[in-house]
Structures are given as structure tokens and as C-alpha cells.
Amino acid sequence: MSSRRSPAVRAPKPNEHERAQRQAAVEILLRRALHGVISIPEAAVLADYWRAERELADKTRRSLGETTRALQRNREAADAEIQRLEARVAELEGVLPPREGAA
């Protein structure tokens, strides 16, 4: 019996399937456009798909920016708390007599 576990399979994200289909269609439509055989309705679909991808990228970029700012705030708060605790330790070390046997 093997002790190795198979990797966990996660559920697909809500729009993952739709996005994969859109990306595949974009590849096909771009190939047709490069060969000069794309129709006007296909060009319209390509434009719509491109706009959807651009909107998703913009939304992701904004979200990552918000996450980065939140992480920075948390780091700053943690640093401030560490400094406060270090100051408190130094204060207590100055008040308490040294322990016996401490090197």
C-alpha cells in the first residue's frame, strides 16, 4: 500500500470553463484573421471576447493592488506591535532584577 496521496482536485472557479472556451475561440479567430478569412460577425465576436478578457485583467489588477495594500498595512501594524513589545521588554528588563543563574 502506498502512502502517497493523490493531489487534491479542486472545484473549477465559477467562470473558468467559460473563460477557457473564450480563449480557445480567440485563438481560432485570430488564426482566421491572420489568414485574412475572418467574417464580419466573427470579427465582432473576437472584439467582444477581447473586451471581456481586458475587463477581467483590469479587475484582477485592481484586486491584486487592493491585496498588496492590505498586506502592507498588516506588515506595518505587525512591525509597530513588535516595536511596542520590544520596548516593553526592554522596560521590564530595566526594572526587574537579573535572575539567578542567568548567563
Side-chain angles (χ1 to χ4, degrees):
M1 198 180 240
S2 174
S3 64
R4 290 183 75 185
R5 291 184 179 177
S6 61
V9 177
R10 66 171 178 76
K13 293 181 181 178
N15 296 325
E16 190 172 2
H17 182 70
E18 175 185 319
R19 185 162 188 233
Q21 285 182 324
R22 187 169 57 235
Q23 288 174 339
V26 165
E27 287 298 322
I28 292 167
L29 292 170
L30 283 175
R31 210 172 302 121
R32 289 180 54 79
L34 289 171
H35 287 95
V37 294
I38 193 168
S39 68
I40 291 174
E42 288 173 328
V45 168
L46 178 59
D48 286 344
Y49 284 174
W50 178 81
R51 286 184 196 101
E53 286 298 313
R54 186 184 63 194
E55 183 179 320
L56 181 61
D58 290 346
K59 181 179 176 184
T60 300
R61 192 173 10 267
R62 283 190 302 273
S63 177
L64 289 174
E66 291 168 6
T67 300
T68 300
R69 288 187 292 280
L71 286 171
Q72 185 60 35
R73 285 191 303 272
N74 287 340
R75 279 189 208 106
E76 290 168 359
D79 287 344
E81 184 64 13
I82 289 169
Q83 290 173 0
R84 186 190 71 76
L85 291 173
E86 287 173 341
R88 181 67 177 140
V89 166
E91 177 187 320
L92 291 175
E93 285 176 340
V95 171
L96 297 176
R99 294 188 317 170
E100 286 186 30

